[in-house]
Amino acid sequence: MKHRTPVVIALTAATAAASAMVAVAGPATALPPTDPAAVAARAAGTASALVADRPSVLQASADEAFVQHQVITTDNLQYVPFDRTYKGLPVIGGDFVVVTDAAGQTKYTSVAQTRPIGELSVTPKLSPAESVAVAKGELKTVANVESTRLVVVNTTGAPALAWESTINGTRVDDHGELGVSRLTVDVDANSGAVLRTHEHVTGVSGTGTGWITGSVTLDTTLSGSTYSLRDPSLTTLTCQDSSTNTVFSGTDNVWGNGTGSNKETGCVDAFYAAQKQKAMLSSWLGRTGFTSSGGAWPIRVGLNETNAYYDGTQVQIGKNSAGQWISSLDVVGHEIGHGIDDNTPGGISGNGTQEFVGDVFGAATEAFAANANDPFDYQVGEEVNLVGSGPIRYMYNPSLAGDDNCYSSSTPSQEVHAAAGPGNHWFYLLAEGTNPTNGQPASTRCSGTGALTGVGIQTATKIFYNAMLMKTSSSSYLKYRTWTLTSAKALDSTCGLFNKTKAAWDAVSVPAQTADPTCTSGTPTTSPTTSPTTAPASCTGTNATDVSIPDAGSAVYSDIAISGCARNASSTSTIAVNVVHTYRGDVKLDLVAPDGSTYALKATSSSDSTDNISATYTANLSGEAANGTWRLKAQDVYSSDTGYINTWTLTL
């Protein structure tokens, strides 16, 4: 038997560990195909194998390794987040997500890193103390430094070694006011330049007040003879006095007095809103809790600021100009929405998108609660009247608050709350359309003509949340367009949701991207209960042009263009392959769909020394439109033997 020299780099320790855990659970075929554990195991295994092959989309260099995280399952797809290290150091901007279907087939990848790191020295010239002194200069006052670590920054500009510190203190905001800050600063470990700052305190300046939700029911916890504002099923969800960080408690299970300036009353509103949001996440999105581990943060009422914020450890609720606590449904929903954003792949959204993300969750919480004292209206902070001038933002018409309705190249550089305008407008058009019939106001489009019909807020929220699960640290309006189109396509094979999502983005002038998926659908030419013995001529194709497969080299492709097949592919599509090769175990084969989805056909084997591959593979391609260019991907991953693709036939 020939000795094989592997070219594909072995699994990293973290990836290998993840694969080992999958193996302990038993092969996926031994478990029910819809069993959640089996689905997650298949997704984890597929992602591990993909990453082990180090495909070019990862932009990986030799000194990089990958850390695989827990599989997130929702609706039809599984999302496997990864972080990246370089010579053992965390890479900021190196995260990515692998998306699979329930069968474990790779559907999409979402990668933040756009270029390889290459060769980079990890020996710093600056000391940690010197870098901290630079980082402290980014705040007005500094209370403490939480941590300092050495990282590699690969976000903008050339990759660089940096000291990363997280510091607490105060900063001057965009309005010239002093506010709380929890800031992460990356300082170039050689030059001392500030490469990147990341503010964890994410607030809704102008979006909250101390109005009362009225008579509501709260789920509280009884311990002995004492009740407390602690959720009985999500015990990390509490409401506290921000002056003492003490959970509100009492002996009668009766809370608040209806006065907006009373902290306990503020906690009634906040706790009620948080519990409604928890129920909305479970009912609409299948998400348990707020954090990535199913937990929550304390909500603290009593911040002596005209503001509210989330900072990664808590939600703080301040007051309006009349001294009332601003814990309305949309304010609390917005702040917890920032936490959900922070606890999905890629962390808090950037490039002007983070506030519209919060507004989506605020609107969804308000809609789900259906509270008569705070009716669902796509206005932000209308009940809290922060500074006495009514709502701070209007999702259906952002210009009413002075924000842009339409996206432009300047949107990402705007103040973050103003930059929410195009995203809020897009979400409203997706959910309600231009002329709602449910009492919501009409909305206009920035470009194009014709009325838009909405999908409803529940479906719109589901599309958006599934897009967030593909999010990376390079998030932007342009990438959210691609992610939501991908999400909509996965949720609805008829392309109805896809078309409405695309129309809403077009209507707010967010341009099409080369990474955007396409979606087509049609009616099968035969009865769904009858399997035709042969496919129509237009639904099959052959490529008999030889394609050389380089020894231990890069992947090569052979293409077949399908047209005139106005339907989705079959669940029993076949791929007949003839590859001439002197050691077939060297060769890995995949089928690449027109939208880029990859279906594994044949794995490599260091012990299969037989010549040639002559096989017909069956694949469930029913989620793919048949028309388009399909590609047979072949790669020789071991040295010493060569071959070529002779011919292949695709029958859809």
Side-chain angles (χ1 to χ4, degrees):
M1 183 178 295
K2 303 174 185 177
H3 175 70
R4 316 314 296 156
T5 304
V7 171
V8 177
I9 297 174
L11 293 174
T12 65
T15 306
S19 298
M21 287 193 290
V22 172
V24 168
T29 54
L31 296 171
T34 58
D35 178 80
V39 171
R42 282 192 290 269
T46 296
S48 294
L50 175 68
V51 171
D53 281 350
R54 303 174 79 88
S56 59
V57 70
L58 298 185
Q59 299 287 332
S61 54
D63 291 309
E64 295 178 28
F66 308 102
V67 180
Q68 183 170 340
H69 297 288
Q70 183 177 355
V71 177
I72 304 170
T73 299
T74 174
D75 296 294
N76 301 329
L77 297 178
Q78 282 60 239
Y79 305 83
V80 190
F82 287 80
D83 287 320
R84 185 187 311 246
T85 63
Y86 177 82
K87 295 182 180 179
L89 299 179
V91 177
I92 308 303
D95 54 304
F96 58 94
V97 181
V98 176
V99 186
T100 78
D101 61 16
Q105 298 287 347
T106 302
K107 299 295 290 183
Y108 316 102
T109 57
S110 181
V111 183
Q113 186 159 298
T114 58
R115 60 191 176 283
I117 295 173
E119 181 58 36
L120 181 68
S121 171
V122 293
T123 302
K125 294 181 179 178
L126 266 66
S127 69
E130 289 171 326
S131 73
V132 168
V134 175
K136 286 181 175 180
E138 295 296 306
L139 291 185
K140 180 71 173 178
T141 66
V142 175
N144 68 289
V145 179
E146 288 185 18
S147 60
T148 299
R149 63 174 182 168
L150 204 57
V151 301
V152 173
V153 175
N154 193 17
T155 52
T156 59
L161 184 69
W163 287 108
E164 182 176 85
S165 298
T166 298
I167 52 181
N168 293 277
T170 62
R171 63 181 171 87
V172 178
D173 66 18
D174 297 295
H175 304 290
E177 298 180 357
L178 201 63
V180 175
S181 177
R182 182 171 178 259
L183 188 71
T184 294
V185 184
D186 294 318
V187 176
D188 192 301
N190 295 313
S191 69
V194 174
L195 300 176
R196 173 182 175 269
T197 62
H198 177 65
E199 178 58 71
H200 297 274
V201 175
T202 311
V204 288
S205 301
T207 60
T209 192
W211 64 269
I212 304 303
T213 53
S215 179
V216 295
T217 299
L218 303 174
D219 293 328
T220 61
T221 297
L222 175 63
S223 178
S225 60
T226 302
Y227 297 92
S228 63
L229 291 183
R230 182 184 302 275
D231 189 281
S233 63
L234 186 58
T235 57
T236 48
L237 174 57
T238 62
C239 198
Q240 305 176 358
D241 185 329
S242 69
S243 299
T244 60
N245 292 351
T246 301
V247 178
F248 280 94
S249 61
T251 58
D252 58 5
N253 212 15
V254 176
W255 311 93
N257 60 13
T259 302
S261 58
N262 177 269
K263 289 183 182 179
E264 185 178 300
T265 299
C267 258
V268 169
D269 296 333
F271 199 58
Y272 168 78
Q275 291 187 330
K276 288 297 183 183
Q277 187 160 9
K278 182 188 75 167
M280 180 274 293
L281 293 173
S282 175
S283 175
W284 287 7
L285 308 177
R287 183 181 177 96
T288 303
F290 304 145
T291 70
S292 54
S293 59
W297 316 274
I299 301 172
R300 291 167 176 152
V301 173
L303 175 68
N304 191 27
E305 294 182 24
T306 309
N307 192 17
Y309 67 79
Y310 159 84
D311 72 355
T313 65
Q314 61 180 334
V315 171
Q316 283 275 2
I317 301 295
K319 57 189 178 182
N320 65 4
S321 56
Q324 299 165 307
W325 305 115
I326 56 175
S327 41
S328 61
L329 281 161
D330 55 0
V331 169
V332 175
H334 177 111
E335 297 307 334
I336 293 176
H338 282 312
I340 294 167
D341 195 14
D342 199 13
N343 280 259
T344 43
I348 290 177
S349 299
N351 293 298
T353 60
Q354 60 264 51
E355 293 303 321
F356 111 74
V357 173
D359 286 348
V360 165
F361 282 97
T365 301
E366 194 174 79
F368 183 86
N371 184 287
N373 295 297
D374 184 9
F376 170 44
D377 52 20
Y378 290 102
Q379 297 177 7
V380 181
E382 74 285 354
E383 298 292 340
V384 303
N385 194 22
L386 191 74
V387 293
S389 57
I392 192 62
R393 286 189 292 281
Y394 301 81
M395 299 180 77
Y396 53 88
N397 186 359
S399 65
L400 293 176
D403 301 330
D404 291 340
N405 282 9
C406 314
Y407 178 84
S408 71
S409 59
S410 65
T411 300
S413 61
Q414 292 177 349
E415 188 275 325
V416 291
H417 297 89
N424 282 342
H425 191 194
W426 164 80
F427 184 77
Y428 185 83
L429 291 175
L430 175 61
E432 303 295 340
T434 50
N435 299 290
T437 59
N438 59 355
Q440 298 294 345
S443 185
T444 59
R445 47 191 306 160
C446 303
S447 57
T449 59
L452 299 180
T453 303
V455 301
I457 190 168
Q458 179 175 346
T459 300
T461 303
K462 179 178 287 189
I463 291 170
F464 188 68
Y465 173 70
N466 278 261
M468 290 174 67
L469 298 179
M470 286 176 269
K471 171 168 53 71
T472 68
S473 56
S474 62
S475 55
S476 64
Y477 270 110
L478 304 182
K479 290 198 172 184
Y480 264 121
R481 175 185 169 113
T482 299
W483 293 332
T484 54
L485 289 174
T486 302
S487 166
K489 178 180 178 180
L491 290 169
D492 174 22
S493 61
T494 72
C495 300
L497 294 182
F498 176 93
N499 292 334
K500 290 184 178 181
T501 303
K502 180 179 181 295
W505 282 123
D506 292 343
V508 299
S509 302
V510 173
Q513 301 298 298
T514 56
D516 287 353
T518 58
C519 192
T520 57
S521 63
T523 304
T525 56
T526 59
S527 167
T529 59
T530 303
S531 299
T533 55
T534 59
S538 59
C539 296
T540 189
T542 298
N543 188 334
T545 302
D546 292 353
V547 178
S548 295
I549 305 173
D551 183 34
S554 301
V556 295
Y557 297 85
S558 176
D559 295 352
I560 292 176
I562 299 293
S563 61
C565 188
R567 59 170 173 80
N568 275 17
S570 168
S571 60
T572 56
S573 297
T574 58
I575 307 95
V577 177
N578 183 272
V579 172
V580 177
H581 200 279
T582 54
Y583 196 113
R584 70 185 183 190
D586 285 8
V587 182
K588 181 178 186 294
L589 295 177
D590 298 286
L591 178 69
V592 182
D595 67 354
S597 301
T598 300
Y599 298 82
L601 302 180
K602 176 189 174 297
T604 59
S605 171
S606 61
S607 61
D608 185 0
S609 60
T610 304
D611 292 343
N612 306 329
I613 303 168
S614 181
T616 298
Y617 304 96
T618 300
N620 181 359
L621 305 178
S622 59
E624 304 287 348
N627 287 335
T629 299
W630 296 78
R631 316 189 79 188
L632 178 65
K633 175 184 176 183
Q635 184 174 17
D636 183 324
V637 301
Y638 296 100
S639 62
S640 301
D641 291 85
T642 59
Y644 60 93
I645 300 173
N646 181 28
T647 184
W648 71 290
T649 298
L650 175 66
T651 302
L652 300 172

